[in-house]
Amino acid sequence: MKAYSACLTVLLFGWLVGGAAHSQTLDEQYEYYLRNKCQSLNFGRDFNQDILPGEAGPNLYAFCTGPLALPSGLIQTINGVGGAAGVAGGRGREAGEDSALRRRREQQRAETQAAEEAESSIADVATGLFTSLDFRDEEQEATQYEGGRRGDRLTASLGLDRRFGRALVAGVAVRGENLKGEFETGGHFEADGFGATLYTSWFPIERLFVDLSGGIDTRSLHTRRIVGRRLVTDQGTFPPTFRITFFPQLRAVDGSTDTQDESADLVAGYDFSLGAFTIGPRIGGAWRRSTIDAFTEIGDTPMSLTFDEREETSLRSAVGLQLSTAFSWSTGVGVPQLNLQWYHEYQDDQQLLSAHFAEDLRPEPVKLRFLNEAPDRDTYSARLSFAAAFKDGLNVFASVEKMFGHEYQDQTGFAVGVRWEL
């Protein structure tokens, strides 16, 4: 029975990829449908093998029309230069607590620890205004299914929260985000976004906390990728020499789309006092759903595509440990912190994506179906931070964070934050 089920799964998958069962990357789909004058696209043709009027745009018509014949001497075809590079920007963002809010919550607990160190009391009710700036360098290596890319993400946040003694903190934060980067094979991408989050921190007993938040973000994403089909032909000489040409020629295609994220996060922890140090386990979960709207690329090439809408859902657990201590000086108290985290992804599976040639004008164009990269289920991070609370109500925070153990991604982040007691 198990063998039968496995066989059925393979057959169903082969049916889904629609006649090109071996073609699971975007580059392979380009090759399957563009070779031999686009025979696999099944255009209607006249007796000269010219595509019938109204079935294809000018670039696709010019490339696909004419007798079905391969160029002589063809020995290798490597197509879609840049083709797999970050489809709509690559994988969606994995679920995870917003870094600015995470830092703000750590700062709240650091303020409490600082007050204890200074042997001072915390006001029963206090309102604070905070702002932060986060910079993150993100790099993805080229994989079988997605091209390599590198980008820089800058996020500015502004928030207002209210503390009710030591038992409860509630607040709201808004943020703006800019992401810029380049594809390894040529081209670039940029995204601008805005979001808002409601959050609360509850302290049911001393040293135990529960954090809960929910947010929504929207982004406008613009991509430019370089596409082309590389032909390698034998020149028939001895020793052998080869000629590299591009057909279609290398061209840029531009696309614009919008993305929407909904997220929810839950984190709990308990802090133990060990002499001058505080050590605390952390456990939590994060859920995120990302929707990427359908969009059409524009470019002077038959390789421009129309991508279908897609949705990604991420569910991650986080288990970690925080170590901190406190020391005082004449004007305030400082709290350095070290956080170690292990993340496990449960839901963000590899997806079969779909698109069609933008110049395929038929009512039911042929679909290209290809896989995105599978997630790395287990990753780790280390974060070193420092919070300082001054007697005049000013608090500052700074941190550096590094991701470890990811198969094909690398991330390093820096952040600073300021809070004023109102």
Side-chain angles (χ1 to χ4, degrees):
M1 181 61 71
K2 290 183 178 179
Y4 173 80
S5 298
C7 181
L8 181 60
T9 300
V10 171
L11 291 174
L12 286 173
F13 185 81
W15 173 76
L16 282 171
V17 297
H22 65 286
S23 302
Q24 297 178 11
T25 71
L26 179 54
D27 282 351
E28 289 170 337
Q29 289 282 274
Y30 268 135
E31 172 58 18
Y32 180 82
Y33 286 110
L34 292 180
R35 69 187 181 191
N36 202 16
K37 288 292 184 178
C38 316
Q39 185 176 17
S40 297
L41 286 175
N42 298 319
F43 284 119
R45 299 175 185 264
D46 60 21
F47 63 91
N48 290 321
Q49 295 300 317
D50 294 341
I51 296 176
L52 296 180
E55 293 202 1
N59 292 290
L60 194 61
Y61 177 90
F63 180 80
C64 297
T65 201
L68 306 179
L70 287 170
S72 61
L74 178 66
I75 64 167
Q76 180 187 10
T77 303
I78 303 176
N79 53 271
V81 176
V87 178
R91 295 197 62 80
R93 298 178 65 184
E94 295 172 316
E97 186 182 15
D98 179 79
S99 57
L101 293 185
R102 178 188 60 202
R103 185 175 58 256
R104 173 66 195 117
R105 288 159 165 170
E106 291 172 356
Q107 187 177 357
Q108 293 164 358
R109 292 185 279 276
E111 290 167 6
T112 302
Q113 188 175 354
E116 292 174 349
E117 172 70 17
E119 298 182 350
S120 62
S121 61
I122 295 179
D124 289 339
V125 177
T127 301
L129 177 69
F130 66 91
T131 184
S132 67
L133 197 63
D134 294 72
F135 173 82
R136 186 172 297 271
D137 178 79
E138 305 173 354
E139 186 171 353
Q140 176 169 312
E141 298 178 358
T143 67
Q144 178 181 357
Y145 299 104
E146 291 184 12
R149 64 181 186 271
R150 182 189 175 280
D152 296 323
R153 188 187 304 270
L154 184 64
T155 304
S157 301
L158 179 66
L160 184 71
D161 59 31
R162 190 168 180 84
R163 186 179 64 234
F164 302 88
R166 295 185 181 226
L168 184 67
V169 176
V172 59
V174 295
R175 57 189 165 272
E177 176 185 279
N178 175 260
L179 171 66
K180 289 184 178 180
E182 297 180 348
F183 296 129
E184 190 177 87
T185 51
H188 56 266
F189 56 91
E190 183 172 1
D192 293 300
F194 300 92
T197 299
L198 296 174
Y199 69 95
T200 182
S201 293
W202 177 44
F203 303 86
I205 61 175
E206 187 177 358
R207 297 186 177 275
L208 174 66
F209 70 87
V210 179
D211 294 338
L212 179 64
S213 65
I216 186 169
D217 292 86
T218 181
R219 298 177 184 84
S220 296
L221 173 66
H222 308 280
T223 61
R224 165 169 285 192
R225 60 193 187 98
I226 308 301
V227 296
R229 184 165 170 260
R230 187 173 70 181
L231 305 178
V232 182
T233 54
D234 188 350
Q235 298 300 291
T237 61
F238 184 83
T241 58
F242 304 96
R243 181 186 179 188
I244 297 177
T245 57
F246 289 90
F247 185 67
Q249 293 292 321
L250 294 177
R251 292 288 188 271
V253 291
D254 297 292
S256 296
T257 187
D258 296 320
T259 71
Q260 301 81 39
D261 288 354
E262 300 92 37
S263 61
D265 306 282
L266 176 65
V267 180
Y270 187 89
D271 293 324
F272 297 90
S273 180
L274 299 175
F277 294 92
T278 298
I279 186 169
R282 305 287 190 258
I283 186 169
W287 171 86
R288 184 184 301 275
R289 181 175 61 198
S290 300
T291 302
I292 303 174
D293 293 344
F295 70 99
T296 297
E297 295 176 318
I298 299 173
D300 188 21
T301 172
M303 297 178 70
S304 57
L305 299 177
T306 294
F307 293 94
D308 294 335
E309 179 182 283
R310 78 176 194 263
E311 184 176 286
E312 297 176 352
T313 302
S314 174
L315 179 64
R316 288 207 305 174
S317 63
V319 178
L321 191 69
Q322 176 176 290
L323 177 67
S324 64
T325 188
F327 59 89
S328 59
W329 60 89
S330 59
T331 58
V333 177
V335 182
Q337 298 172 330
L338 174 64
N339 290 78
L340 303 174
Q341 296 270 12
W342 164 50
Y343 301 98
H344 180 76
E345 175 63 51
Y346 295 91
Q347 197 166 348
D348 187 16
D349 299 323
Q350 188 175 32
Q351 290 187 329
L352 186 67
L353 310 181
S354 61
H356 65 268
F357 288 104
E359 292 193 359
D360 188 341
L361 306 181
R362 294 171 293 183
E364 297 184 1
V366 170
K367 291 289 186 180
L368 285 69
R369 302 185 189 275
F370 49 93
L371 295 169
N372 66 353
E373 187 56 59
D376 189 338
R377 295 291 180 186
D378 295 285
T379 56
Y380 308 87
S381 72
R383 182 172 66 259
L384 183 63
S385 56
F386 180 79
F390 297 92
K391 294 180 179 179
D392 59 0
L394 175 67
N395 301 280
V396 297
F397 192 94
S399 68
V400 57
E401 184 173 2
K402 177 73 173 178
M403 182 176 69
F404 299 95
H406 200 289
E407 290 184 0
Y408 53 87
Q409 288 185 355
D410 184 57
Q411 295 184 8
T412 303
F414 308 90
V416 292
V418 180
R419 179 181 182 271
W420 298 269
E421 195 102 333
L422 300 181

